[in-house]
Amino acid sequence: MELANLKELRNDMKSKGENFDIFEFKYKGKGYFVIVEVFEQDNKPKYALAKLIFLRIEDIKDKFETWANSNSFLENDVKKIKDFFGIEYSKNGRLFQTLYKALGAIIPITFDNSRKDERLKKDTLLNYVIVSDPKDPNKKYLFDVRRNGGKRSPFNDEKTKLKNPEIYSVFEDRPEVSFFYSKDPNDEKDVATILSKFSAR
């Protein structure tokens, strides 16, 4: 199982309440940031452990997403994988084994928050979370916090953790509170104003 470390990482992330991780990967002379998502999603295949998002370091708009388990990627177009990673055709039936072996060797087995603290990784992950949030795509200016009647989304949680750590620390253990963002920078409010408004409700 070339990707065995993925299960270890997934389990450690879940035990620590983390939804996203990021690490670097090099293959065939190319560098990638790999974002790991471990929260439940409606389109998650039956045997998937996590979703992996590969972003080229030289152009993070160029990306490849896949579900994966301990053995391989799942439900993917072979041509897309070959084109993205520059893999040549092979007749031996093990077309992606060198890719899986290289990736498996670099997947961390534990979550370490210091990876997110590295500036380029943090900026890359934050940008991904902002544009990928299905409820609030491209919204990044915090203006309010409110009780949501349920549980805040993984994207809402991670965006605030990375972008607004001061206010996140206040509500970190209160998943029933969501953070509200706008696309308009003029809507942004400072922490004191947001907390005062929340307390007054």
Side-chain angles (χ1 to χ4, degrees), residues 3-20:
L3 304 181
N5 284 2
L6 185 60
K7 185 174 183 179
E8 297 288 336
L9 177 61
R10 188 278 309 266
N11 290 345
D12 192 57
M13 289 174 67
K14 283 185 170 291
S15 73
K16 295 173 179 175
E18 295 290 338
N19 293 304
F20 298 86

Side-chain angles (χ1 to χ4, degrees), residues 62-93:
D62 189 7
K63 68 178 182 177
F64 171 76
E65 300 184 11
T66 181
W67 291 97
N69 60 22
S70 297
N71 295 306
S72 64
F73 298 162
L74 302 174
E75 299 184 0
N76 271 293
D77 184 312
V78 170
K79 186 177 186 303
K80 286 183 179 179
I81 301 175
K82 287 170 58 181
D83 290 347
F84 187 79
F85 291 104
I87 299 172
E88 298 178 357
Y89 177 75
S90 172
K91 294 182 178 180
N92 63 12

Side-chain angles (χ1 to χ4, degrees), residues 25-32 82 85-88 98-99 102:
F25 171 56
K26 291 185 178 180
Y27 184 68
K28 296 177 76 69
K30 300 289 186 180
Y32 307 89
K82 287 170 58 181
F85 291 104
I87 299 172
E88 298 178 357
T98 56
L99 170 63

Side-chain angles (χ1 to χ4, degrees), residues 1 3-4 15 17 24 36 45 52 61 67 69 77 94 100 108 112 114 118 125 132 147-148 157 189 199 201:
M1 295 187 291
L3 304 181
S15 73
E24 287 187 47
V36 184
L52 304 179
K61 292 180 181 178
W67 291 97
N69 60 22
D77 184 312
R94 296 174 63 83
Y100 295 153
D112 184 346
S114 66
E118 295 176 32
L125 180 56
S132 301
R147 293 177 180 85
N148 55 39
D157 186 86
K189 299 292 188 295
S199 299
R201 289 194 179 105

Side-chain angles (χ1 to χ4, degrees), residues 177-193:
V177 173
S178 289
F179 308 95
F180 287 77
Y181 290 85
S182 170
K183 293 180 181 180
D184 186 349
N186 295 314
D187 291 338
E188 191 168 34
K189 299 292 188 295
D190 60 64
V191 172
T193 299

Side-chain angles (χ1 to χ4, degrees), residues 129-140 159 182-183:
V129 170
I130 289 172
V131 302
S132 301
D133 187 338
K135 292 185 178 180
D136 293 314
N138 299 311
K139 294 182 179 181
K140 57 183 177 181
K159 176 162 51 176
S182 170
K183 293 180 181 180

